[in-house]
Amino acid sequence: MKHFFNRKDSIVTEALDGFLATAGSGTLARLDGYPEIKVVLRADWDKMKVAVVSGGGAGHEPSHAGFVGAGMLTATVSGEIFASPSVEAVLAAIRATTGPAGCLLIVKNYTGDRLNFGLAAEKARAEGFAVEMVIVGDDIALPDIAQPRGVAGTLFVHKIAGHLSETGHGLASVAAAARAAAKDIVSLGISLSSCSLPGQAHEDRFGADDGELGLGIHGEPGAERIALQSASALVAIMAERLAARLDAGSRYALLINNLGSVPPLEMSLIANAVLASPLAKSVTMTMGPGHLMTALNMNGFSLSLIKLDAEREAALRAPVGPHAWLPARPVSPPVVVAAAKPASRDATGAASRDAGAERLITAVCEKLISLEETLNGLDAKAGDGDTGSTVATGARGVLDRIDTLPLADKAATLAAIGDTLGTSMGGSSGVLLSIFFTAAAQSLGGGAPLGKALIAGLDRMTFYGGAKLGDRTMVDALEPALKALDANGLEAAASAARHGAESTAAMQKAKAGRSAYIGRQLDIVDPGAFAVAEAFAAVAAMFAPA
């Protein structure tokens, strides 16, 4: 795996400095003592309030430094990647932030963190500081383990303790609330890959068709290997296990956490799956989906739930300073606004029959659908490999609606095809062809002959799209074909389209469309031009002499 870094031994310190330099508010600072002391703290801290300190190994960003600020953490202590911070670093954080009100340490249940934070707490008490410590073990992946791991549910404790401190509660009250909250949190994670550490050789233990359920936030193996399935099926497995640990009739807040490299599109899909599962009946509030406690670049996510009461709900809803925290929001179904209808519809838009027009449209659409894989193959060498699928989707959209087309009226038919492609085809090709057919329909309806109307459509398409002859796009086949059609008929148009498409293979480089981003000659026919040529060939074949 590839990573952006300078030296392995300076990754964390450079990252923390970058974080502080871009935090922007001036309310955050770090203690002196790099690289041994890596403490980020509030520069505006009032020591008359309870200090809330947490931390652990780096690699979980935005945890932990991202949650330092008003209403959450007073300071965080970072170790190296996935390594607990030293006793002296934790003790430095306690000394820097703790006044008469005392200090609460929030620790995830890992041996290194328990020992180092614990010894620092003992030393701080010996120096006269009032220090309490709460250990969070929210992971339910290994139900029989005596010491469950602390994972993303720890963030609930950060938020609740930080709120109580900010609102003036004493150490005993803050510590009691944090301990009680920790007992009422359950979490479970899943991933399709392990994480890789910068500067270290990586060998993914996962197969191509499996993932792991219940793996830790340091890449340690999960509780079990699980076959790759749909997102809904995977979420259903997690939801069932989490639901078994919930109290019937209670209300819960849900935190949906990205473990590192799941795209936002997939995270929203996962959120939808969770809120469509039986787990949703217990959830009244959500945080996320988003990056909250990651495991470097792990391709996975975790779900955490905490039982709510009035005090916890108020604490979770309270605004905070740190931008990394995702505000708690009530669960609500999507709001659907009715689409606006056209102010009027021309009577010529009503469905009508014309056997010849139907055969022609069907022949072109079926030809384009048959070319799906061929066009995708061409596009894979020049773009993102989806031209065939895009064209086939548009063709299927027209075929699906052919019984509703006003085939007896050529102008209305062109307009209806334009509407269909604009909504069903997608991508820039769909928009461009929608413009082409819509403008051609307007010209034809205004009295122009068909050939001239199609050229008018091409003019509008090139005006908005920006491509011209020689730019290595479908225009290189479409323009000569339409001009030949207007002057010499269908057979000449098909020949011109074929020659135009073939010419794109010899063009130095594309000047428009997605292929323009490739700075070299492609030596293949442009897929859009090829599709145009094949469409004209299909029409010409229909009218060829027997």
Side-chain angles (χ1 to χ4, degrees):
M1 299 290 288
K2 299 177 182 178
H3 296 271
F4 294 102
F5 68 101
N6 297 313
R7 302 193 322 272
K8 287 202 304 182
D9 62 353
S10 64
I11 292 174
V12 179
T13 54
E14 291 179 50
L16 286 173
D17 278 346
F19 165 72
L20 290 169
T22 55
S25 65
T27 59
L28 300 182
R30 70 167 172 85
L31 286 182
D32 195 10
Y34 267 8
E36 291 81 9
I37 306 296
K38 292 184 274 290
V39 174
V40 172
L41 71 163
R42 290 179 59 177
D44 61 347
W45 179 238
D46 178 3
K47 288 188 178 182
M48 298 306 293
K49 296 178 179 178
V50 175
V52 181
V53 178
S54 189
H60 305 301
E61 288 68 24
S63 291
H64 303 85
F67 300 119
V68 175
M72 285 196 73
L73 299 177
T74 309
T76 58
V77 194
S78 177
E80 296 299 325
I81 293 177
F82 295 166
S84 178
S86 68
V87 173
E88 286 305 313
V90 178
L91 186 57
I94 296 171
R95 289 171 180 153
T97 59
T98 306
C103 173
L104 175 67
L105 301 178
I106 301 174
V107 180
K108 295 187 296 300
N109 195 18
Y110 290 95
T111 302
D113 288 345
R114 288 202 318 271
L115 293 177
N116 288 315
F117 277 82
L119 181 52
E122 293 303 318
K123 289 189 172 187
R125 291 188 189 107
E127 294 180 12
F129 293 102
V131 180
E132 294 287 340
M133 188 165 94
V134 57
I135 299 173
V136 185
D138 54 310
D139 185 21
I140 66 164
L142 302 167
D144 298 326
I145 193 171
Q147 295 285 346
R149 297 173 293 203
V151 288
T154 308
L155 301 176
F156 286 131
V157 184
H158 291 171
K159 184 66 171 67
I160 291 167
H163 171 72
L164 294 176
S165 167
E166 196 73 33
T167 52
H169 288 68
L171 178 59
S173 175
V174 176
R179 291 191 181 101
K183 291 179 180 178
D184 284 338
I185 300 171
V186 291
S187 296
L188 186 61
I190 192 169
S191 184
L192 304 181
S193 74
S194 57
C195 56
S196 62
L197 277 66
Q200 294 189 24
H202 174 70
E203 183 175 347
D204 201 328
R205 64 178 180 270
F206 290 56
D209 298 315
D210 59 24
E212 284 184 354
L213 180 66
L215 72 176
I217 56 173
H218 306 103
E220 59 267 41
E224 61 188 88
R225 191 65 59 92
I226 189 166
L228 183 61
Q229 304 166 58
S230 69
S232 293
L234 294 172
V235 165
I237 294 169
M238 299 173 71
E240 181 180 11
R241 300 192 186 188
L242 288 163
R245 303 291 294 268
L246 305 185
D247 293 338
S250 294
R251 298 179 303 111
Y252 285 83
L254 168 68
L255 187 149
I256 307 173
N257 174 53
N258 191 334
L259 283 167
S261 65
V262 182
L265 176 72
E266 295 177 29
M267 288 302 300
S268 292
L269 182 150
I270 288 162
N272 186 62
V274 176
L275 295 176
S277 75
L279 195 65
K281 69 178 184 295
S282 301
V283 175
T284 60
M285 179 192 305
T286 61
M287 278 134 281
H291 294 89
L292 290 154
M293 185 174 287
T294 63
L296 291 173
N297 57 355
M298 185 179 287
N299 185 24
F301 67 94
S302 64
L303 304 175
S304 300
L305 297 110
I306 181 172
K307 185 161 67 173
L308 292 175
D309 57 24
E311 183 180 67
R312 289 175 188 171
E313 185 167 352
L316 293 175
R317 288 187 183 278
V320 296
H323 298 302
W325 178 252
L326 302 176
R329 295 185 174 93
V331 176
S332 59
V335 176
V336 179
V337 178
K341 296 181 179 179
S344 63
R345 184 173 293 276
D346 192 331
T348 59
S352 59
R353 312 279 15 111
D354 184 300
E358 184 170 347
R359 285 197 305 272
L360 187 150
I361 293 170
T362 300
V364 171
C365 289
E366 289 179 345
K367 182 64 175 180
L368 294 175
I369 292 169
S370 74
L371 293 170
E372 181 170 359
E373 294 304 319
T374 300
L375 293 172
N376 280 342
L378 286 173
D379 191 37
K381 300 175 182 178
D384 53 5
D386 68 347
T387 292
S389 298
T390 301
V391 170
T393 298
R396 291 187 186 102
V398 173
L399 281 183
D400 289 344
R401 295 166 175 81
I402 198 161
D403 290 338
T404 68
L405 295 179
L407 296 175
D409 184 328
K410 291 184 177 64
T413 298
L414 291 177
I417 291 174
D419 286 345
T420 298
L421 296 179
T423 56
S424 69
M425 189 169 173
S428 57
S429 297
V431 178
L432 289 169
L433 289 174
S434 181
I435 291 171
F436 169 74
F437 282 105
T438 301
Q442 292 174 350
S443 179
L444 187 63
L450 179 60
K452 298 294 185 187
L454 293 174
I455 290 174
L458 174 67
D459 177 70
R460 290 293 83 194
M461 185 182 82
T462 55
F463 173 78
Y464 290 111
K468 61 183 184 298
L469 200 65
D471 284 351
R472 200 181 186 282
T473 68
M474 63 178 167
V475 173
D476 290 299
L478 188 57
E479 182 172 326
L482 293 180
K483 288 180 177 178
L485 176 68
D486 187 47
N488 300 308
L490 188 55
E491 186 176 344
S495 177
R498 184 178 68 254
H499 288 304
E502 291 171 351
S503 72
T504 61
M507 293 178 182
Q508 289 300 306
K509 66 182 293 292
K511 298 177 183 177
R514 194 181 299 273
S515 299
Y517 302 122
I518 301 176
R520 56 180 172 82
Q521 186 172 338
L522 295 166
D523 299 322
I524 57 169
V525 173
D526 176 74
F530 182 78
V532 169
E534 290 296 308
F536 271 94
V539 175
M542 286 186 61
F543 294 95

